[in-house]
Amino acid sequence: MPFFQKIKKTEALEQERTQLWNDYQTYQKVEKSDELKNYLALKEKVESRPFIEKKRDVESLKYIGSPEHKLIRQFGKLEKSKKLIKYYQVSESAELSRFNEIAKSDQPEQLKKLTRFVKNGEYKASLKAFKQKKKSDKSNTDLWEDTEAYSTFKAYNELKSSSDILFYQRYAKLAAFQNYQNVSGSTLLNQFDDIKKEINSEKFKERSAYLQDPKRYEKTNDFKMLSDFETLNADPEIKLYMKYNDTDAFKFFRDWKLTFQEDFYNIDKNVWSFVTPIAQKGPGKNFSIANQLQYYNNGDNFGVENNLFTLETKKEECQGLYWDQKFGFVNKTFSYVSGVAHTLNHFKQEYGQFEIKLKASKLKGVISSVSLVDEDEEICIRLFSANGNDIKGGLIHTDQHGYQFDTVRLKSPVKGYVIVSIDWSPEKIEWKINDKFMGRITDSIPHIPLGIRIETEVIKETSNLPHRLDIDWIRCYTINR
């Protein structure tokens, strides 16, 4: 409930507003930037389910237990196989090369033919026939050594005892060679060769290296995308945008348009006038009325120093006009001087928000006020009125009973400067002090443009002067349509 809202200190509230305004400027800049477009596109991508699952899948990959790892282990076991070890020892030996060279020659086949001749009885039959021939023919002088059978037998003995044939026959009986022959063309050898070919392929090496690389994900395009996103996500301006996005933090800036701003670098007489419109239309200079002990001079009591607009009310004897109900305008000697300033010649506004940062001396008998008024002074919205500790706002209007003043109490524990604001709409006027709701009026709401009026009035004899009304700034807004 607004009534129980804690009132903020003025300095803290201004810092908060300034920060929010600066944040809004940054937000608008980022909102139109290519960086934000890129960030939002990356955000959608990296936060998508497929992207997250793909990242998890890549990072969860392990070399140990993978098909590649299993194949390497299987190959390692095969490399330790005694059969294969002996097979490759033989396959790379000079003896096997010599054996194969002999096998390719005609010596083994020749030996087979010669052996058949000798062992199958053909040789013996030839020898027997030769002997019988010699026996039956005493005149036969042929020699056995000259026969073809003997030459064949002799060739057999020479070949059988040759170093190549002896080596060939001995080597063929070796267990190592027998193992070599058994392994050649076997499933075991084919499996070993296939695995060896596979693990030496570029594809297998790349896959194994990929699985063993702890930074495998960092080498992907997805990682670059994620890195780009994280860089933008850490950017202070992007973070600020995301902090405020989808909130109504900037609602005021979007809903309201600044129509009047006064920071009082000087007194701009194109903005501020020091003679009231009624006085201007009448005697041409300010005048006082009943219950006012001060005279409004021509702006001499206003000053600007360090961007503060100050109105001083002084005890000072002067001559001025007074409106007497019986005699009209008469000259009178006043003991106090003050001033009035207004924007009716420059700025008027119907409805909107009106804010003013001010501080007034708490002196009884001197009323400091900031109002929205019309030129005929028949309508007056009091933003702020202070008489000592009696601080209020309200609406002055006329009805069948004459002038009426509907008031709103503006009590605040804040010392020094406060920010007084009203929200004026066709249905109501609401008052706030430092953004805390103070009250509202819903009857007799004005529906005409009004200007800003600043003044102090002396309504009681006092010696505790000068009295100061200090104004730091004024802001006025209208609905941004």
Side-chain angles (χ1 to χ4, degrees):
M1 293 293 292
F3 287 106
F4 300 104
Q5 176 187 342
K6 186 177 179 181
I7 193 165
K8 297 177 182 178
K9 291 184 178 180
T10 306
E11 182 180 1
L13 177 59
E14 283 199 290
Q15 288 177 349
E16 181 182 298
R17 287 183 173 187
T18 299
Q19 185 62 57
L20 192 62
W21 172 253
N22 291 338
D23 288 352
Y24 183 53
Q25 303 310 300
T26 301
Y27 181 91
Q28 289 182 303
K29 181 185 80 171
V30 174
E31 192 173 35
K32 301 171 185 175
S33 69
D34 291 336
E35 286 79 7
L36 178 64
K37 292 178 184 176
N38 189 30
Y39 171 77
L40 293 176
L42 287 171
K43 180 178 172 65
E44 181 180 6
K45 180 71 175 177
V46 303
E47 291 181 355
S48 68
R49 188 180 187 88
F51 187 95
I52 294 170
E53 290 179 349
K54 184 178 178 183
K55 179 177 184 291
R56 184 185 63 221
D57 290 345
V58 171
E59 290 181 330
S60 66
L61 289 173
K62 291 185 178 6
Y63 175 69
I64 303 300
S66 68
E68 289 74 16
H69 176 247
K70 290 177 180 178
L71 200 60
I72 288 291
R73 290 189 65 186
Q74 186 179 1
F75 182 73
K77 289 179 180 178
L78 289 174
E79 276 189 315
K80 295 176 183 178
S81 167
K82 291 181 180 180
K83 290 183 179 181
L84 287 173
I85 291 172
K86 290 178 179 179
Y87 169 83
Y88 280 105
Q89 287 175 347
V90 169
S91 68
E92 296 168 0
S93 67
E95 287 82 358
L96 180 63
S97 296
R98 181 182 178 188
F99 179 85
N100 289 333
E101 286 297 321
I102 295 171
K104 289 178 186 177
S105 71
D106 63 350
Q107 291 182 76
E109 189 61 33
Q110 186 66 26
L111 181 61
K112 286 181 183 179
K113 291 179 181 179
L114 293 173
T115 299
R116 284 196 298 269
F117 174 77
V118 173
K119 300 293 184 181
N120 292 345
E122 190 176 349
Y123 171 75
K124 288 182 178 181
S126 297
L127 179 59
K128 184 179 181 181
F130 181 83
K131 287 180 178 181
Q132 287 176 347
K133 185 178 179 181
K134 288 282 286 184
K135 187 177 180 180
S136 61
D137 184 3
K138 300 294 184 180
S139 60
N140 186 344
T141 58
D142 290 342
L143 296 176
W144 170 247
E145 288 77 6
D146 292 334
T147 65
E148 183 179 351
Y150 177 79
S151 296
T152 301
F153 180 73
K154 182 180 178 182
Y156 163 75
N157 285 326
E158 288 177 353
L159 185 57
K160 181 178 72 169
S161 60
S162 71
S163 61
D164 280 350
I165 289 298
L166 290 173
F167 168 81
Y168 182 83
Q169 290 175 335
R170 184 181 71 254
Y171 190 80
K173 296 175 183 178
L174 291 176
F177 179 72
Q178 296 295 323
N179 176 74
Y180 173 81
Q181 286 190 311
N182 291 334
V183 171
S184 293
S186 67
T187 301
L188 178 66
L189 182 62
N190 290 336
Q191 183 183 30
F192 181 78
D193 288 341
D194 288 345
I195 294 175
K196 185 176 182 180
K197 182 179 179 182
E198 174 66 18
I199 65 176
N200 286 323
S201 69
E202 288 303 316
K203 182 178 179 181
F204 183 90
K205 289 177 182 178
E206 288 175 5
R207 179 65 178 172
S208 296
Y210 175 73
L211 291 173
Q212 295 179 74
D213 186 357
K215 296 184 177 181
R216 74 179 79 91
Y217 185 70
E218 296 176 20
K219 297 175 181 178
T220 64
N221 289 331
D222 278 9
F223 178 78
K224 182 181 183 308
M225 195 181 301
L226 183 59
S227 297
D228 290 345
F229 168 75
E230 288 174 346
T231 298
L232 288 171
N233 197 43
D235 183 272
E237 292 188 348
I238 295 288
K239 290 174 74 173
L240 181 144
Y241 176 88
M242 296 306 294
K243 170 187 172 183
Y244 288 110
N245 197 36
D246 295 329
T247 73
D248 60 357
F250 301 134
K251 184 175 179 5
F252 178 85
F253 304 130
R254 294 189 177 107
D255 291 352
W256 295 92
K257 178 174 67 176
L258 185 67
T259 54
F260 180 83
Q261 177 175 349
E262 179 60 272
D263 292 303
F264 297 111
Y265 298 108
N266 53 44
I267 298 178
D268 188 348
K269 293 186 177 179
N270 292 319
V271 175
W272 297 100
S273 300
F274 302 97
V275 178
T276 66
I278 288 181
Q280 198 74 51
K281 292 175 185 176
K285 56 183 179 178
N286 289 323
F287 59 90
S288 297
I289 59 175
N291 299 322
Q292 291 182 334
L293 304 182
Q294 88 292 336
Y295 178 68
Y296 291 132
N297 60 29
N298 195 25
D300 296 337
N301 283 37
F302 285 97
V304 169
E305 185 176 354
N306 297 325
N307 299 118
L308 284 178
F309 187 56
T310 299
L311 170 56
E312 281 195 334
T313 303
K314 302 177 182 179
K315 187 171 179 60
E316 182 180 301
E317 191 172 289
C318 64
Q319 295 293 315
L321 283 180
Y322 176 77
W323 173 256
D324 187 285
Q325 292 285 347
K326 183 176 181 180
F327 300 107
F329 290 112
V330 296
N331 287 316
K332 180 181 176 179
T333 300
F334 293 88
S335 298
Y336 305 94
V337 290
S338 182
V340 59
H342 66 87
T343 65
L344 285 158
N345 298 333
H346 169 74
F347 170 77
K348 290 183 289 186
Q349 183 172 307
E350 182 180 5
Y351 312 132
Q353 291 199 29
F354 303 81
E355 288 190 322
I356 183 166
K357 179 185 175 185
L358 54 76
K359 177 177 69 172
S361 301
K362 292 185 177 180
L363 180 61
K364 284 188 176 181
V366 180
I367 300 175
S368 303
S369 62
V370 179
S371 310
L372 296 178
V373 299
D374 67 330
E375 293 183 354
D376 296 329
E377 300 183 10
E378 292 183 353
I379 296 174
C380 175
I381 300 174
R382 281 270 198 259
L383 275 76
F384 174 89
S385 176
N387 180 7
N389 289 319
D390 183 18
I391 303 171
K392 56 192 173 185
L395 175 63
I396 301 173
H397 60 93
T398 59
D399 59 16
Q400 65 270 25
H401 305 293
Y403 279 97
Q404 301 295 324
F405 188 13
D406 301 328
T407 61
V408 172
R409 301 290 293 174
L410 301 180
K411 280 292 219 179
S412 167
V414 177
K415 305 297 182 183
Y417 286 94
V418 294
I419 299 172
V420 183
S421 63
I422 67 163
D423 187 343
W424 170 25
S425 70
E427 297 79 24
K428 61 182 172 48
I429 306 171
E430 292 184 343
W431 277 258
K432 292 180 182 178
I433 296 287
N434 288 10
D435 281 353
K436 181 179 179 181
F437 177 81
M438 291 290 162
R440 70 168 60 90
I441 291 174
T442 58
D443 294 330
S444 305
I445 303 300
H447 303 293
I448 63 170
L450 303 177
I452 303 168
R453 176 165 162 160
I454 301 168
E455 61 188 314
T456 56
E457 305 171 68
V458 181
I459 60 171
K460 179 182 177 181
E461 293 288 345
T462 180
S463 59
N464 194 16
L465 294 173
H467 170 281
R468 285 173 60 101
L469 171 61
D470 294 322
I471 299 176
D472 192 357
W473 50 257
I474 300 172
R475 307 275 191 275
C476 303
Y477 306 87
T478 189
I479 290 290
N480 194 11
R481 301 184 188 281

